Amino acid sequence: QVQLVESGGGLVQAGGSLRLSCAASGRTFSNYDMGWFRQALGKEREFVASIRSSGGATAYANSVKGRFTISRDNAKNTVYLQMNSLKPEDTAVYYCAARQLGPYNYWGQGTQVTVSS
């Protein structure tokens, strides 16, 4: 089992920045690919960004490319999502997730991000 706890959400004005953190416990963090997803009110959950277990390859949704950066610190068992140039449409609950093979099967409880215009 892997336990994930997100933090860092909040209210920010458009154009501002936030950094989300996701602390993992329970298993060897460095063995897991990590991802960030988000779900806006009334919409389905969508992929935001991911990073491989080694911390090398990253991937981003087109909607956040160039504005968000995913990173991880395996020594601290933590994955981050730096969000810059935030837009009102980035408002959502943000979730981190972990996987070794196949689909993401460990999820955090989520942290709310609200961007005001």
Side-chain angles (χ1 to χ4, degrees), residues 64-83:
V64 307
K65 204 170 291 184
R67 299 187 298 122
F68 290 12
T69 303
I70 188 171
S71 62
R72 65 190 295 161
D73 185 338
N74 285 343
K76 295 183 178 181
N77 289 355
T78 302
V79 62
Y80 305 97
L81 186 68
Q82 178 66 45
M83 306 186 295

Side-chain angles (χ1 to χ4, degrees), residues 8-89:
L11 174 64
V12 64
Q13 288 188 331
S17 298
L18 282 175
R19 188 176 82 154
L20 305 183
S21 300
C22 173
S25 62
R27 291 292 178 97
T28 305
F29 177 71
S30 59
N31 290 343
Y32 290 81
D33 296 341
M34 300 298 296
W36 285 98
F37 294 76
R38 66 187 182 187
Q39 187 167 19
L41 196 62
K43 296 187 178 181
E44 294 190 353
R45 186 160 53 192
E46 64 176 2
F47 168 79
V48 175
S50 64
I51 186 166
R52 297 298 299 273
S53 57
S54 63
T58 58
Y60 296 91
N62 287 336
S63 59
V64 307
K65 204 170 291 184
R67 299 187 298 122
F68 290 12
T69 303
I70 188 171
S71 62
R72 65 190 295 161
D73 185 338
N74 285 343
K76 295 183 178 181
N77 289 355
T78 302
V79 62
Y80 305 97
L81 186 68
Q82 178 66 45
M83 306 186 295
N84 299 329
S85 302
L86 282 161
K87 305 175 181 179
E89 51 264 43

